[in-house]
Amino acid sequence: MRLCDYIFKRLKELGVDHLFCLPGESVQELYRSLLGSEVKSILLSHEPSLGYAADAYSRLRGLGAVLASYGVGALNLVNAVGQAYAESSPLIVLSGGPGVMERKRHSLLHHKVRNFDSMQKVFEEVTAMSVILDSPHQAAHQLELAFQTALQFKKPVYIEIPRDMVSINVDSMPLLDPFQSLNPQAERDCLEEALSEITTLLASAKRPVILGGVEVSRIKAQKEFRALVEASGLPVATDLLGKSLIEDSHPQSLGTFFGALTNPEAERALNEADLILSLGTILSDVALGMFTFSIDRTKMVEARIESVRVKNHFFPELRLKTLIQGLLERAHSFKKDVLKKPDLPSTPSFDELAQEALSMSSTERCLDAFINRENSPAYRIVSDVGDCLFLGQALRVNRIAGFLSPAYYLSMGFGLPGGIGAQIAEPKMRSLILVGDGAFQMTGLELASLTRLGLNPIIILLNNSSYATLRLVESDPYPGSYDIGKFDYSRMADIFGGRGYKVFNTDELKRALIGAEQEHPGVFTLIDVEIPVDDSTEVLKQFGRMMGESNKVAAQGQN
């Protein structure tokens, strides 16, 4: 079998039905093979969008893939691949390259930066494996090892295929089970020791709390996680990156934990806890609300994809999924009575919302009421970075995996292509995309791709004509230094085949949302939400102030 055919056959077997592409002449033969395969090509307009879309697809399907040309295409992908690495999203990056014989004959070929292995070296820093398939005898083995690495460690891998290697014949080499432990006996021993210690701690704890993170989703253990929560009776919060790991409406849910910046119920529970069972949480500065919550590892069990820490004891052979399954089997030994949550004040329904001028808070109330209507269609919230992310974290999301965002790496531009990738991964859930005007200016031309691909997301564009986060991080910015212009983005929808609305109050926003749902369900809708330039969520104000103070301290440390 030709190498190119083998690649797409294996991707299909691994559950990749779509490949996000922007082909160039270095990958023409590979692209032709793709078009004749069972994997569907999804063309987008720019490589960063490819990476974001494939990343979102991976977060929902378990593996995503992208195809880009050598040098100019691959380098444009680096940031999105770095995000996937930071947030544990497995991604197969396929790149073309000059032929093996070309490299020997000519030292200067277009798209080359420094050396012929420069791309492979660049991607070494943002992937779990980076390889050039330049040996006919090793190509299939290297390819399978890359696939296994991505699936085992939930990280991106880079595979460069020189163009004179695309059609070589390779033998089939079955992939080992990527979910099998590398050392089963060591893992069994670790599991027994860790479970004994953890169950004893949980049984004796008076105020234990589960803190769930995004890595539970990466290993597709949401059902086991939910079952553990219910079998244990423990209250559960999720960090911002792990939002929608469990429904916000679940009787044991404390909602999204973001340090002291929001959700006092979750903050109080975590602060008062005498044991925190942290499962799959990336404990970054953002996850901890800019360190407004201090980690005390003497009262924490911290489990990540490939290792577990119990207080000061470390189990490097124990995987997260194995631990969750083990805890579920023993949940009876530490089960607590479910604490009754305090009754929350009732909120107006979507139809009952009073008209008011648009602000971040009124927009949040309107969107929350819209997605939580009785018999509402299935929406997946896909949020970009900026104040839209802080608005999104306040929404009540009651569907598992109903919220996606790059809430750790925080790369602007994710929202629109991420919404594309999410809707292609699961077409039954319409993407509702939250994006600020600054991020929209980075990847907004993917509106053209929406029409070409026949996708119908609802795009909520929060338009305040500035980089609000940067403005609030800096305590005394120069006047106008973060202004990005005031434009009527709704008109772009008409240009690219969708439906656009410009809205100034909640009644207009409500009509636009219902119009998108009932009058124009088959095309994308862009709702340009006019927000005053000096308005922001309270969370962003606190976040900006704390990040600004942190930056000042860091800068002073250099003097």
Side-chain angles (χ1 to χ4, degrees), residues 59 82-88 155 214-215 218 239-242 258 281-288 290-291 304 385 389 405-411 543 547:
R59 294 175 190 226
Q83 173 178 282
Y85 186 94
E87 299 190 353
S88 299
K155 299 290 186 184
V214 73
E215 289 187 342
R218 299 291 187 263
D239 70 344
L240 184 51
L241 188 58
F258 195 37
T281 306
I282 300 173
L283 296 173
S284 68
D285 54 349
V286 178
L288 300 172
M290 294 310 296
F291 297 124
R304 298 287 303 277
V385 172
L389 177 59
S405 74
Y408 163 43
Y409 188 68
L410 297 178
S411 181
F543 181 85
M547 182 173 281

Side-chain angles (χ1 to χ4, degrees), residues 253-311:
S253 175
L254 300 169
T256 305
F257 172 68
F258 195 37
L261 300 185
T262 186
N263 195 347
E265 182 186 7
E267 181 199 6
R268 181 169 54 254
L270 269 293
N271 273 318
E272 294 177 354
D274 53 358
L275 186 71
I276 297 172
L277 181 58
S278 174
L279 300 176
T281 306
I282 300 173
L283 296 173
S284 68
D285 54 349
V286 178
L288 300 172
M290 294 310 296
F291 297 124
T292 55
F293 178 80
S294 298
I295 296 176
D296 181 357
R297 285 199 161 88
T298 64
K299 62 174 187 178
M300 177 174 282
V301 174
E302 184 181 351
R304 298 287 303 277
I305 284 176
E306 290 296 326
S307 64
V308 175
R309 181 190 295 273
V310 183
K311 293 190 173 183

Side-chain angles (χ1 to χ4, degrees), residues 423-443:
Q423 199 162 335
I424 288 173
E426 292 188 4
K428 291 182 180 179
M429 286 192 73
R430 190 176 185 182
S431 292
L432 195 156
I433 299 168
L434 306 179
V435 60
D437 48 344
F440 183 80
Q441 289 185 8
M442 296 180 178
T443 52

Side-chain angles (χ1 to χ4, degrees), residues 290-343:
M290 294 310 296
F291 297 124
T292 55
F293 178 80
S294 298
I295 296 176
D296 181 357
R297 285 199 161 88
T298 64
K299 62 174 187 178
M300 177 174 282
V301 174
E302 184 181 351
R304 298 287 303 277
I305 284 176
E306 290 296 326
S307 64
V308 175
R309 181 190 295 273
V310 183
K311 293 190 173 183
N312 294 317
H313 300 162
F314 187 58
F315 299 91
E317 301 289 344
L318 184 54
R319 296 170 302 157
L320 175 60
K321 191 161 192 174
T322 304
L323 178 67
I324 292 175
Q325 291 168 341
L327 287 171
L328 179 56
E329 291 172 2
R330 301 194 186 188
H332 62 277
S333 67
F334 54 85
K335 182 174 176 58
K336 310 289 184 185
D337 293 332
V338 177
L339 296 177
K340 187 177 185 301
K341 293 169 63 175
D343 293 330

